[in-house]
Amino acid sequence: MIWIEILSRHRDIAARFRIPGPEARIGRGYDNDVILDDPYVAAQHLRVFRDETGQLVAEDLGSANGMFLDGDKSRLARVVIDGKQPIRIGQTFLRVRETGHAVERERVATPERPMVPILLALVLGLTIVIVEELDVWLGQTAEPRISLYLTPLLGVGLIVLVWVGGWALLCRILSGRSHFLRNLLIALAGVLAFSLYNEFGRFAGFAWTWPLAASYEYVALWSILAGVCFFHLRQVGQRRLVLKGVVVATLLATAIAVQTLQRSEAFSDSGRQFTARRLLPPEFRLVPLRDENAFFGEIENLKAKLDADRRQARPDEAGR
């Protein structure tokens, strides 16, 4: 008895056929044991039988497109079947197994906790609301208005829903399940991470006059976005995670390099931006204040240096 499994693009079993005889023929013709609706498969494409030692063997019947092992570009006329590595004919992947093929042990079912991810999503969402509203409150200098507090939340909520909906649709198309809640958790975690970093950068720039966190905010944004995309891609499919990681890392490095170049050119034209781009309450300023005598002393030193540079430049101008 022979079992023939037709695999999907993710190497999941799409169909399974039980062949009671000692031999199986596969192709597009109606005289085959397994008929494939693949235009790149010949009418009589593949023959599966037992050789003189009793092993299952797959033999190409002279097709135009040949037979290949999954992941191998070498065309094969005959291959001994191990029941594990898929075979490709045309654009169809299939696997041949015997009745006595050993299967993996059953997985231990974990107790379902549907409320845990929902509660986690609510906690993440509430934390984002608190951080965003606190940011608006700290930076407010005019009369308080409800629109100032609601507009950022509505904008972030709309972006998150569109983003999660797109990934859920992609998961539904490619893997058969939308994983909406998981994609929502990934997106909320990314938004919260960037919000916290953004607040840290503003606080560091105002409290300690640290320029790095604010100056390289775009690096954090691209890095968080790349991490979020990678975890979304994991939900789409668990295969080829290394390749997905390499692609995401390459795009991340490209985006950071391009924006770094753009910012360096902008800085050469207009100078660097201020470290503190938003004023906060004076209580948040942690570095000691400098008195006016020290400030005007530095101005006098700067003025003296500029005057010396002017005096040094005048003889050169007269010589011209």
Side-chain angles (χ1 to χ4, degrees), residues 12 53 63 66 69 79 110 143 156 159 161 163 188 191 228 240 257 288 294:
D12 298 324
T53 63
S63 63
L69 290 177
V79 60
T110 57
E143 290 294 329
V156 171
I159 293 173
L161 287 178
W163 176 271
L188 290 177
V191 172
V228 168
R240 298 176 180 174

PDB file of all heavy atoms in Angstrom, residues 12 53 63 66 69 79 110 143 156 159 161 163 188 191 228 240 257 288 294:
ATOM      1  N   ASP A  12       2.325  22.088   3.603  1.00  0.00           N
ATOM      2  CA  ASP A  12       1.266  21.461   4.382  1.00  0.00           C
ATOM      3  C   ASP A  12       0.503  20.497   3.472  1.00  0.00           C
ATOM      4  O   ASP A  12       0.462  20.670   2.247  1.00  0.00           O
ATOM      5  CB  ASP A  12       0.313  22.512   4.960  1.00  0.00           C
ATOM      6  CG  ASP A  12       1.012  23.458   5.919  1.00  0.00           C
ATOM      7  OD1 ASP A  12       1.906  22.989   6.655  1.00  0.00           O
ATOM      8  OD2 ASP A  12       0.689  24.661   5.927  1.00  0.00           O
ATOM      9  N   THR A  53      14.879  -4.486  -3.914  1.00  0.00           N
ATOM     10  CA  THR A  53      15.179  -4.540  -2.470  1.00  0.00           C
ATOM     11  C   THR A  53      13.959  -4.208  -1.616  1.00  0.00           C
ATOM     12  O   THR A  53      14.040  -4.224  -0.390  1.00  0.00           O
ATOM     13  CB  THR A  53      16.312  -3.564  -2.134  1.00  0.00           C
ATOM     14  OG1 THR A  53      15.900  -2.231  -2.418  1.00  0.00           O
ATOM     15  CG2 THR A  53      17.571  -3.892  -2.926  1.00  0.00           C
ATOM     16  N   SER A  63       9.193  13.000 -18.844  1.00  0.00           N
ATOM     17  CA  SER A  63       8.460  14.261 -18.944  1.00  0.00           C
ATOM     18  C   SER A  63       9.374  15.387 -19.421  1.00  0.00           C
ATOM     19  O   SER A  63      10.607  15.292 -19.337  1.00  0.00           O
ATOM     20  CB  SER A  63       7.857  14.626 -17.586  1.00  0.00           C
ATOM     21  OG  SER A  63       8.886  14.842 -16.639  1.00  0.00           O
ATOM     22  N   GLY A  66      10.587  17.288 -15.934  1.00  0.00           N
ATOM     23  CA  GLY A  66      11.405  16.499 -15.039  1.00  0.00           C
ATOM     24  C   GLY A  66      10.887  16.374 -13.620  1.00  0.00           C
ATOM     25  O   GLY A  66       9.769  16.782 -13.281  1.00  0.00           O
ATOM     26  N   LEU A  69      13.983  17.048  -6.255  1.00  0.00           N
ATOM     27  CA  LEU A  69      13.771  17.050  -4.816  1.00  0.00           C
ATOM     28  C   LEU A  69      13.570  18.482  -4.343  1.00  0.00           C
ATOM     29  O   LEU A  69      14.138  19.426  -4.916  1.00  0.00           O
ATOM     30  CB  LEU A  69      14.965  16.413  -4.096  1.00  0.00           C
ATOM     31  CG  LEU A  69      15.136  14.901  -4.263  1.00  0.00           C
ATOM     32  CD1 LEU A  69      16.401  14.445  -3.550  1.00  0.00           C
ATOM     33  CD2 LEU A  69      13.921  14.155  -3.716  1.00  0.00           C
ATOM     34  N   VAL A  79      14.706   8.383  -7.985  1.00  0.00           N
ATOM     35  CA  VAL A  79      15.108   8.721  -6.630  1.00  0.00           C
ATOM     36  C   VAL A  79      14.475   7.725  -5.666  1.00  0.00           C
ATOM     37  O   VAL A  79      13.307   7.321  -5.834  1.00  0.00           O
ATOM     38  CB  VAL A  79      14.692  10.170  -6.266  1.00  0.00           C
ATOM     39  CG1 VAL A  79      13.187  10.355  -6.346  1.00  0.00           C
ATOM     40  CG2 VAL A  79      15.190  10.548  -4.876  1.00  0.00           C
ATOM     41  N   THR A 110      -2.458  22.565  25.053  1.00  0.00           N
ATOM     42  CA  THR A 110      -2.414  23.555  26.129  1.00  0.00           C
ATOM     43  C   THR A 110      -3.821  24.062  26.405  1.00  0.00           C
ATOM     44  O   THR A 110      -4.630  24.199  25.481  1.00  0.00           O
ATOM     45  CB  THR A 110      -1.509  24.726  25.747  1.00  0.00           C
ATOM     46  OG1 THR A 110      -1.984  25.296  24.511  1.00  0.00           O
ATOM     47  CG2 THR A 110      -0.076  24.251  25.537  1.00  0.00           C
ATOM     48  N   GLU A 143      -5.042  77.023  26.453  1.00  0.00           N
ATOM     49  CA  GLU A 143      -6.214  76.544  27.165  1.00  0.00           C
ATOM     50  C   GLU A 143      -6.501  75.092  26.787  1.00  0.00           C
ATOM     51  O   GLU A 143      -6.381  74.713  25.622  1.00  0.00           O
ATOM     52  CB  GLU A 143      -7.433  77.399  26.821  1.00  0.00           C
ATOM     53  CG  GLU A 143      -7.365  78.814  27.384  1.00  0.00           C
ATOM     54  CD  GLU A 143      -7.418  78.825  28.906  1.00  0.00           C
ATOM     55  OE1 GLU A 143      -8.065  77.923  29.479  1.00  0.00           O
ATOM     56  OE2 GLU A 143      -6.801  79.712  29.511  1.00  0.00           O
ATOM     57  N   VAL A 156      -3.925  57.477  15.942  1.00  0.00           N
ATOM     58  CA  VAL A 156      -3.181  56.249  16.232  1.00  0.00           C
ATOM     59  C   VAL A 156      -4.084  55.031  16.104  1.00  0.00           C
ATOM     60  O   VAL A 156      -3.690  53.997  15.542  1.00  0.00           O
ATOM     61  CB  VAL A 156      -2.565  56.321  17.644  1.00  0.00           C
ATOM     62  CG1 VAL A 156      -1.971  54.976  18.037  1.00  0.00           C
ATOM     63  CG2 VAL A 156      -1.498  57.403  17.706  1.00  0.00           C
ATOM     64  N   ILE A 159      -4.697  54.219  12.374  1.00  0.00           N
ATOM     65  CA  ILE A 159      -3.505  53.643  11.746  1.00  0.00           C
ATOM     66  C   ILE A 159      -3.310  52.192  12.188  1.00  0.00           C
ATOM     67  O   ILE A 159      -2.998  51.312  11.367  1.00  0.00           O
ATOM     68  CB  ILE A 159      -2.266  54.491  12.089  1.00  0.00           C
ATOM     69  CG1 ILE A 159      -2.376  55.870  11.418  1.00  0.00           C
ATOM     70  CG2 ILE A 159      -0.988  53.786  11.653  1.00  0.00           C
ATOM     71  CD1 ILE A 159      -1.286  56.825  11.826  1.00  0.00           C
ATOM     72  N   LEU A 161      -5.594  50.040  13.257  1.00  0.00           N
ATOM     73  CA  LEU A 161      -6.622  49.163  12.690  1.00  0.00           C
ATOM     74  C   LEU A 161      -6.344  48.856  11.217  1.00  0.00           C
ATOM     75  O   LEU A 161      -6.499  47.708  10.777  1.00  0.00           O
ATOM     76  CB  LEU A 161      -8.001  49.814  12.850  1.00  0.00           C
ATOM     77  CG  LEU A 161      -8.569  49.832  14.271  1.00  0.00           C
ATOM     78  CD1 LEU A 161      -9.914  50.542  14.292  1.00  0.00           C
ATOM     79  CD2 LEU A 161      -8.713  48.421  14.824  1.00  0.00           C
ATOM     80  N   TRP A 163      -3.408  48.960   9.711  1.00  0.00           N
ATOM     81  CA  TRP A 163      -2.188  48.147   9.677  1.00  0.00           C
ATOM     82  C   TRP A 163      -2.490  46.700  10.025  1.00  0.00           C
ATOM     83  O   TRP A 163      -2.084  45.767   9.326  1.00  0.00           O
ATOM     84  CB  TRP A 163      -1.172  48.750  10.631  1.00  0.00           C
ATOM     85  CG  TRP A 163       0.101  47.994  10.795  1.00  0.00           C
ATOM     86  CD1 TRP A 163       0.379  47.008  11.690  1.00  0.00           C
ATOM     87  CD2 TRP A 163       1.308  48.145  10.018  1.00  0.00           C
ATOM     88  NE1 TRP A 163       1.666  46.541  11.549  1.00  0.00           N
ATOM     89  CE2 TRP A 163       2.252  47.225  10.531  1.00  0.00           C
ATOM     90  CE3 TRP A 163       1.670  48.980   8.969  1.00  0.00           C
ATOM     91  CZ2 TRP A 163       3.535  47.116  10.006  1.00  0.00           C
ATOM     92  CZ3 TRP A 163       2.950  48.868   8.453  1.00  0.00           C
ATOM     93  CH2 TRP A 163       3.858  47.951   8.965  1.00  0.00           C
ATOM     94  N   LEU A 188       0.295  46.790  18.697  1.00  0.00           N
ATOM     95  CA  LEU A 188       0.201  47.597  19.914  1.00  0.00           C
ATOM     96  C   LEU A 188       1.533  47.635  20.656  1.00  0.00           C
ATOM     97  O   LEU A 188       1.924  48.676  21.196  1.00  0.00           O
ATOM     98  CB  LEU A 188      -0.898  47.041  20.821  1.00  0.00           C
ATOM     99  CG  LEU A 188      -2.338  47.219  20.333  1.00  0.00           C
ATOM    100  CD1 LEU A 188      -3.311  46.557  21.291  1.00  0.00           C
ATOM    101  CD2 LEU A 188      -2.679  48.704  20.179  1.00  0.00           C
ATOM    102  N   VAL A 191       3.727  50.146  18.822  1.00  0.00           N
ATOM    103  CA  VAL A 191       3.325  51.528  19.097  1.00  0.00           C
ATOM    104  C   VAL A 191       3.747  51.948  20.498  1.00  0.00           C
ATOM    105  O   VAL A 191       4.255  53.064  20.708  1.00  0.00           O
ATOM    106  CB  VAL A 191       1.799  51.690  18.910  1.00  0.00           C
ATOM    107  CG1 VAL A 191       1.339  53.067  19.376  1.00  0.00           C
ATOM    108  CG2 VAL A 191       1.425  51.482  17.453  1.00  0.00           C
ATOM    109  N   VAL A 228       8.536  44.784  14.266  1.00  0.00           N
ATOM    110  CA  VAL A 228       7.093  44.525  14.135  1.00  0.00           C
ATOM    111  C   VAL A 228       6.802  43.767  12.844  1.00  0.00           C
ATOM    112  O   VAL A 228       6.031  42.792  12.835  1.00  0.00           O
ATOM    113  CB  VAL A 228       6.326  45.861  14.191  1.00  0.00           C
ATOM    114  CG1 VAL A 228       4.875  45.662  13.767  1.00  0.00           C
ATOM    115  CG2 VAL A 228       6.371  46.441  15.596  1.00  0.00           C
ATOM    116  N   ARG A 240      11.133  29.555   6.535  1.00  0.00           N
ATOM    117  CA  ARG A 240      12.139  30.490   6.009  1.00  0.00           C
ATOM    118  C   ARG A 240      12.236  31.752   6.853  1.00  0.00           C
ATOM    119  O   ARG A 240      12.286  32.874   6.354  1.00  0.00           O
ATOM    120  CB  ARG A 240      11.816  30.850   4.559  1.00  0.00           C
ATOM    121  CG  ARG A 240      11.837  29.641   3.620  1.00  0.00           C
ATOM    122  CD  ARG A 240      11.422  29.998   2.221  1.00  0.00           C
ATOM    123  NE  ARG A 240      11.447  28.828   1.356  1.00  0.00           N
ATOM    124  CZ  ARG A 240      11.012  28.824   0.098  1.00  0.00           C
ATOM    125  NH1 ARG A 240      10.503  29.928  -0.419  1.00  0.00           N
ATOM    126  NH2 ARG A 240      11.075  27.722  -0.624  1.00  0.00           N
ATOM    127  N   ALA A 257      20.353  54.102   6.459  1.00  0.00           N
ATOM    128  CA  ALA A 257      21.438  54.732   5.710  1.00  0.00           C
ATOM    129  C   ALA A 257      20.926  55.900   4.868  1.00  0.00           C
ATOM    130  O   ALA A 257      21.549  56.972   4.835  1.00  0.00           O
ATOM    131  CB  ALA A 257      22.126  53.694   4.823  1.00  0.00           C
ATOM    132  N   PRO A 288      22.081  71.364  36.678  1.00  0.00           N
ATOM    133  CA  PRO A 288      22.089  72.643  37.409  1.00  0.00           C
ATOM    134  C   PRO A 288      22.017  73.831  36.465  1.00  0.00           C
ATOM    135  O   PRO A 288      22.595  73.820  35.375  1.00  0.00           O
ATOM    136  CB  PRO A 288      23.418  72.599  38.175  1.00  0.00           C
ATOM    137  CG  PRO A 288      24.269  71.644  37.401  1.00  0.00           C
ATOM    138  CD  PRO A 288      23.331  70.625  36.836  1.00  0.00           C
ATOM    139  N   ALA A 294      28.232  83.514  34.176  1.00  0.00           N
ATOM    140  CA  ALA A 294      28.899  82.494  33.379  1.00  0.00           C
ATOM    141  C   ALA A 294      28.480  82.573  31.916  1.00  0.00           C
ATOM    142  O   ALA A 294      29.297  82.421  31.002  1.00  0.00           O
ATOM    143  CB  ALA A 294      28.600  81.111  33.947  1.00  0.00           C
TER     144      ALA A 294
END
